[in-house]
Amino acid sequence: MANSSSGESIIRRLVRLVGSFDDVHLTMSVATLARRSGLPVTTTYRLVDELLAEGLMERDASGEVRIGTRLWELVSRSSPMLGLREAALPFMEDVQSVVQHSTTLGILDSDEVLYIERIGSRDSLVDITKVAGRLPVHGTSSGLVLLAYSEPAYQDLFLSRPLARFTDDTLTHPTDLRRHLAHIRQRGFASMPGIIVPESSGIAVPVFGRANTVVAALSVVVPRNEENVAARVPVLMTSARGISRALGWRGELKGAVRQSNGSI
Amino acid sequence: MANSSSGESIIRRLVRLVGSFDDVHLTMSVATLARRSGLPVTTTYRLVDELLAEGLMERDASGEVRIGTRLWELVSRSSPMLGLREAALPFMEDVQSVVQHSTTLGILDSDEVLYIERIGSRDSLVDITKVAGRLPVHGTSSGLVLLAYSEPAYQDLFLSRPLARFTDDTLTHPTDLRRHLAHIRQRGFASMPGIIVPESSGIAVPVFGRANTVVAALSVVVPRNEENVAARVPVLMTSARGISRALGWRGELKGAVRQSNGSI
DNA sequence: CATCTGATTCCCGATCATCGGTAACCCTGT
DNA sequence: ACAGGGTTACCGATGATCGGGAATCAGATG
């Protein structure tokens, strides 16, 4: 363990520091940061000083600290997310121009859906997705698509765990879910009204990568009462194929669809 | 200094590690990473192991490492860039739908223009901007706008240093530049044909933040021969005002325009 | 003006994680 | 079988790291 009496490595501490910020706590005093991260005050000051020196954090006018531009740049420049995002964005705009509510791109990470990108109207009444935000797999159409096209072993593992119920329409029973996943694979898309919040409805389709694996899910979220699945699926499908092709996908080789193991 | 014989803190080493990745080196073997970062091989393995354990790096199928999803998420979720980006994206789409080439949003950081966001055609023939990429201030219309609206003291400092010449049209002499900055402030936009590459031309306008400071530059890049400044400036202007308002800008208070010191 | 609360800086000795050399162990291709 | 690169394992020495404590500073409150 580290020098620390609490027994943590520096890197884990840095994660606690950076992880103490979120979209509603963009800046805070160092003392607050110490409280939120659970690190000793003195230690926090020392680490923050070093981070400031490297530009990984910055002080704003009032003396509070925030994530530094340099850290954003370092990570964004070299993250595999960037390529996926850039390939998808033009197509997402096309979808958005037709559907008008909100369009998202999500991947499967640590048993949750992580949203890589999102475009939508500024006044998104019915959409709880955020860029770099997470939602449960079985509570989103994106998640169900990603699960449906994931490795069988992963599906088994996932379905062996208890699943939270969010609304009356959430599928929580393994058998129901498994049947539904098959349904999704057969139709090529997921349409799930009100499984996480009753008022909204999502439609999602898979995006394929170079190795014919599903790397992401393209999805639209619409108010439940405006639901018009039949009209929207073709738009999503064609856009998803466009993204897939931009990622180096070469068309479907029958039976070879399997879970992404990382590389796009 | 750190325990290291080379005398560097862990944090600086982490920066070297993460900084060894870029858009063309998204993944590499740990040995290669050691070479590129200049760190001792054993040290690199130890640090990478820790980073892998925290999910800040990941191994792909072939055993190479890359920036981890979790690191992207941690930074993206809490970076002040996100707010700026989200406010700007809808307006950028509007611009893009009219201008058709490529639309960028840049900020001033460390005496360079850092591009926060970019949307454009997939086949961007004439545009060298990249998301999280940097370009010189005096080689871009965005840079000149940001400089024009920055603090006088900063302008003096910037102009006191020698400036590289990229094309015949690059302004490198302090006097010329200063005159041009005044021109930009007076007209409210910058239009610079071929100052970094001869074939392309940029038009940029300022984006204001809450405190009536300029926080970013909205810009379009077009082929030089298609230049049609008069028609494009109004589009940019109105969009930039839209972004500014979304950021909490309350309209122009005469004479109070000054450099952003950080907080949006 | 006095008081208080909270944030920040300075100091310092003990400890143990960090450092990085060396060497063995894999692979894959020739 | 050999070569070359990548990876894992081991280990002793060292000094960066840790964090408590106290002083200082800033702002709010009475």
Side-chain angles (χ1 to χ4, degrees):
Chain A
M1 293 299 107
N3 253 341
S4 63
S5 49
S6 49
E8 286 188 313
S9 70
I10 293 192
I11 289 177
R12 178 161 296 164
R13 282 153 184 248
L14 293 178
V15 171
R16 304 219 353 222
L17 283 184
V18 176
S20 299
F21 295 89
D22 60 35
D23 51 340
V24 295
H25 299 91
L26 287 176
T27 77
M28 60 187 82
S29 71
V30 181
T32 306
L33 182 54
R35 228 176 298 117
R36 282 177 63 92
S37 64
L39 296 176
V41 177
T42 312
T43 303
T44 306
Y45 275 98
R46 186 168 28 80
L47 289 177
V48 168
D49 279 346
E50 285 192 72
L51 291 168
L52 288 170
E54 297 294 329
L56 303 186
M57 284 193 181
E58 292 166 0
R59 288 203 115 91
D60 71 4
S62 65
E64 302 206 309
V65 292
R66 61 173 174 211
I67 301 297
T69 302
R70 184 159 172 65
L71 181 52
W72 176 86
E73 178 191 1
L74 270 177
V75 173
S76 300
R77 175 158 51 97
S78 50
S79 171
M81 302 293 103
L82 195 73
L84 185 55
R85 206 201 81 100
E86 300 233 304
L89 198 50
F91 295 98
M92 291 177 70
E93 283 165 35
D94 296 343
V95 173
Q96 179 62 16
S97 70
V98 174
V99 177
Q100 296 292 350
H101 287 288
S102 92
T103 309
T104 65
L105 186 74
I107 64 170
L108 192 57
D109 184 80
S110 313
D111 305 333
E112 290 177 304
V113 180
L114 177 64
Y115 289 94
I116 300 301
E117 185 56 285
R118 173 203 130 95
I119 58 182
S121 48
R122 273 173 296 298
D123 47 325
S124 55
L125 302 163
V126 294
D127 190 1
I128 56 176
T129 59
K130 287 185 270 201
V131 171
R134 289 172 176 271
L135 286 177
V137 167
H138 69 295
T140 56
S141 55
S142 298
L144 291 177
V145 161
L146 292 166
L147 186 61
Y149 289 90
S150 67
E151 288 174 346
Y154 178 77
Q155 291 179 18
D156 293 344
L157 180 64
F158 187 90
L159 293 172
S160 70
R161 288 181 293 227
L163 299 172
R165 169 176 298 282
F166 307 106
T167 72
D168 290 346
D169 295 320
T170 313
L171 295 178
T172 58
H173 196 282
T175 314
D176 298 341
L177 255 172
R178 219 180 271 276
R179 193 178 316 125
H180 201 83
L181 294 181
H183 190 50
I184 290 170
R185 279 190 298 270
Q186 185 198 324
R187 298 197 300 174
F189 70 92
S191 166
M192 302 300 305
I195 55 177
I196 188 159
V197 288
E199 311 80 37
S200 74
S201 181
I203 310 168
V205 299
V207 173
F208 296 87
R210 201 183 301 277
N212 210 31
T213 59
V214 170
V215 296
L218 179 69
S219 161
V220 291
V221 179
V222 298
R224 193 168 182 174
N225 54 13
E226 283 186 33
E227 211 179 322
N228 187 350
V229 176
R232 273 148 184 174
V233 166
V235 178
L236 276 176
M237 288 266 195
T238 51
S239 296
R241 288 178 73 101
I243 299 171
S244 300
R245 207 162 281 117
L247 292 173
W249 177 64
R250 308 223 151 259
E252 43 220 325
L253 314 167
K254 274 297 175 201
V257 174
R258 63 187 193 284
Q259 151 81 347
S260 159
N261 50 6
S263 54
I264 299 169
Chain B
M1 294 300 110
N3 253 340
S4 63
S5 48
S6 50
E8 287 188 311
S9 71
I10 293 192
I11 290 177
R12 177 161 295 164
R13 286 155 181 246
L14 293 178
V15 171
R16 307 241 318 245
L17 284 183
V18 176
S20 300
F21 296 89
D22 60 34
D23 51 343
V24 295
H25 298 92
L26 287 175
T27 78
M28 61 187 83
S29 71
V30 181
T32 305
L33 182 54
R35 231 176 296 117
R36 281 176 63 91
S37 64
L39 296 176
V41 178
T42 311
T43 303
T44 306
Y45 275 99
R46 185 167 29 79
L47 289 176
V48 168
D49 278 346
E50 284 191 72
L51 291 168
L52 288 170
E54 297 295 328
L56 304 187
M57 284 193 182
E58 290 168 0
R59 288 202 116 91
D60 70 5
S62 64
E64 302 206 308
V65 293
R66 63 177 172 205
I67 301 297
T69 302
R70 184 159 172 63
L71 182 51
W72 176 86
E73 178 192 1
L74 269 178
V75 173
S76 300
R77 176 159 51 101
S78 50
S79 171
M81 302 292 106
L82 195 73
L84 185 54
R85 207 201 79 100
E86 300 233 304
L89 197 51
F91 294 98
M92 291 178 69
E93 283 165 36
D94 297 344
V95 173
Q96 179 62 15
S97 70
V98 174
V99 177
Q100 296 292 351
H101 288 287
S102 91
T103 309
T104 66
L105 186 75
I107 64 169
L108 191 57
D109 185 79
S110 313
D111 305 332
E112 290 178 304
V113 180
L114 177 65
Y115 288 95
I116 299 302
E117 183 57 284
R118 174 202 129 98
I119 58 183
S121 48
R122 273 173 296 299
D123 46 329
S124 57
L125 302 165
V126 294
D127 190 1
I128 56 177
T129 59
K130 286 186 268 201
V131 172
R134 287 173 177 270
L135 285 177
V137 167
H138 69 296
T140 55
S141 54
S142 298
L144 291 177
V145 160
L146 292 165
L147 187 59
Y149 289 90
S150 66
E151 288 175 347
Y154 178 77
Q155 291 179 18
D156 294 342
L157 180 64
F158 187 89
L159 293 173
S160 70
R161 288 180 293 227
L163 299 172
R165 169 176 298 281
F166 306 106
T167 72
D168 290 347
D169 295 321
T170 312
L171 295 179
T172 59
H173 196 283
T175 313
D176 298 341
L177 256 173
R178 217 180 273 275
R179 193 178 315 126
H180 202 83
L181 294 181
H183 190 49
I184 290 170
R185 278 190 298 271
Q186 185 197 325
R187 297 197 301 175
F189 69 92
S191 167
M192 302 301 304
I195 55 175
I196 189 160
V197 289
E199 311 80 38
S200 73
S201 182
I203 310 168
V205 299
V207 173
F208 296 87
R210 201 182 301 278
N212 209 32
T213 59
V214 170
V215 295
L218 179 68
S219 161
V220 292
V221 180
V222 298
R224 194 168 181 176
N225 53 13
E226 283 187 32
E227 209 179 321
N228 186 351
V229 176
R232 273 148 184 174
V233 166
V235 178
L236 277 175
M237 289 266 197
T238 50
S239 297
R241 288 178 74 100
I243 300 171
S244 299
R245 205 160 283 117
L247 292 173
W249 178 64
R250 305 224 152 259
E252 41 221 325
L253 314 168
K254 274 298 173 197
V257 174
R258 63 186 192 284
Q259 152 81 347
S260 159
N261 52 5
S263 56
I264 299 169

